[in-house]
Amino acid sequence: YQPSAAAQKWYDLGTDGLSNGAFYQASKALEKAITIDKNYALAHARLAQAWTELDFTDRAKDALISATTIASDRSSVSPIDALYVDAIRAVVQRDFDEAVKSYTEIAKLSPDDSQVYVDLGYAYEHSGKIEQALENYTKASSLSNQQYATPYLRAGIVYHRKQETAKAMEHFDKAESLYTAASNNEGVGEVLRQRGILFRDRGQYAEARTQVEKSLNAARALGNEAQQINALLELSYLHSIQGQTTEAEQFA
């Protein structure tokens, strides 16, 4: 199957947004691709991936149904596209072990694609295999000559889980620098929120609030509802654990 040139253009912009953690921007581009070419199965699948990252589960399931319906005839999609549909379906269904299998096969077919290793690392991370996740995030950053922000963001989150604060901060700083250089405000906003969570877990509440408020302001400037919700939830929790119930309720 060959999509129209216009649909391909918006699809490429959408996948670029996905690879750089700009899920809101990716969703908008992929919606345009589908509007132009409703039979573009992989665009539906990628849109499901974007909606999943933005926590719009029902929208993700609808997009996934469209993708799998169109791709039910496997002769209409390439082998690697079929694997992507399988991998994204597994992620939306929270079957991360199955996602690992599909992304591993994709990596064999596209061994030099840094985004594949971020996807594979994400699947490992959410299946609880954080060392394998870090291994793949490191490979993704090395393949991109350390110019790909998202593996640093994801690795920072994993290092925070491992309570390796210095490494987490180092990776968050690198991610923020790369996102800023690329004018990716959505990516910067997520780094700020994750750094705020790290400060909160260390009991540095003032620093945490500063970071999350910056994330909220960035999300509002973009009109990114999902990021606004995440930042508001974090501010609510931050005030709650400090016993500031009235403020916590207002943010909630």
Side-chain angles (χ1 to χ4, degrees):
Y1 180 77
Q2 291 296 321
S4 68
Q8 183 70 54
K9 172 191 171 184
W10 285 110
Y11 173 82
D12 291 341
L13 288 170
T15 55
D16 185 60
L18 285 173
S19 68
N20 286 297
F23 303 115
Y24 176 73
Q25 294 176 31
S27 71
K28 296 302 180 185
L30 291 164
E31 283 181 322
K32 288 183 178 180
I34 291 166
T35 298
I36 294 167
D37 188 347
K38 68 179 186 303
N39 293 318
Y40 197 171
L42 199 55
H44 286 280
R46 289 295 198 181
L47 181 58
Q49 182 179 357
W51 286 136
T52 299
E53 294 292 347
L54 293 168
D55 285 333
F56 289 120
T57 307
D58 289 342
R59 296 184 191 180
K61 288 179 178 177
D62 288 343
L64 188 61
I65 288 169
S66 296
T68 53
T69 299
I70 296 166
S72 59
D73 176 8
R74 289 304 174 103
S75 65
S76 68
V77 293
S78 69
I80 195 167
D81 286 356
L83 283 168
Y84 267 115
V85 172
D86 290 341
I88 294 165
R89 179 174 60 230
V91 170
V92 172
Q93 295 173 342
R94 321 310 286 176
D95 186 352
F96 293 107
D97 289 335
E98 197 61 35
V100 165
K101 293 177 184 177
S102 294
Y103 281 125
T104 298
E105 291 302 312
I106 294 170
K108 292 177 182 177
L109 295 172
S110 300
D112 298 322
D113 185 350
S114 56
Q115 183 183 343
V116 175
Y117 295 100
V118 170
D119 291 334
L120 181 54
Y122 182 92
Y124 272 124
E125 179 185 341
H126 285 77
S127 65
K129 300 173 183 176
I130 58 176
E131 296 302 332
Q132 291 94 325
L134 279 175
E135 180 183 335
N136 281 279
Y137 294 145
T138 300
K139 187 163 187 174
S141 61
S142 65
L143 283 172
S144 67
N145 295 319
Q146 300 182 350
Q147 297 305 303
Y148 182 11
T150 305
Y152 289 99
L153 170 61
R154 298 305 320 173
I157 293 169
V158 173
Y159 279 122
H160 178 204
R161 285 177 60 184
K162 287 165 60 72
Q163 298 184 332
E164 297 184 29
T165 303
K167 285 186 177 180
M169 291 295 289
E170 176 187 343
H171 282 74
F172 288 151
D173 290 347
K174 179 68 172 178
E176 184 177 14
S177 174
L178 290 171
Y179 280 136
T180 300
S183 300
N184 184 346
N185 293 330
E186 187 174 352
V188 171
E190 182 60 16
V191 175
L192 291 168
R193 188 176 73 91
Q194 292 294 339
R195 191 186 286 122
I197 292 171
L198 185 151
F199 280 134
R200 180 251 289 162
D201 288 346
R202 289 174 57 82
Q204 297 173 258
Y205 299 131
E207 293 89 341
R209 178 169 181 169
T210 297
Q211 294 293 307
V212 181
E213 285 179 341
K214 287 181 179 179
S215 177
L216 176 60
N217 291 335
R220 282 174 170 163
L222 289 171
N224 187 333
E225 292 179 348
Q227 275 197 327
Q228 290 178 58
I229 290 166
N230 286 334
L232 288 165
L233 285 170
E234 182 55 36
L235 286 168
S236 177
Y237 182 53
L238 182 61
H239 284 80
S240 176
I241 60 177
Q242 295 178 82
Q244 298 167 352
T245 307
T246 301
E247 293 88 344
E249 287 181 349
Q250 289 172 348
F251 283 117

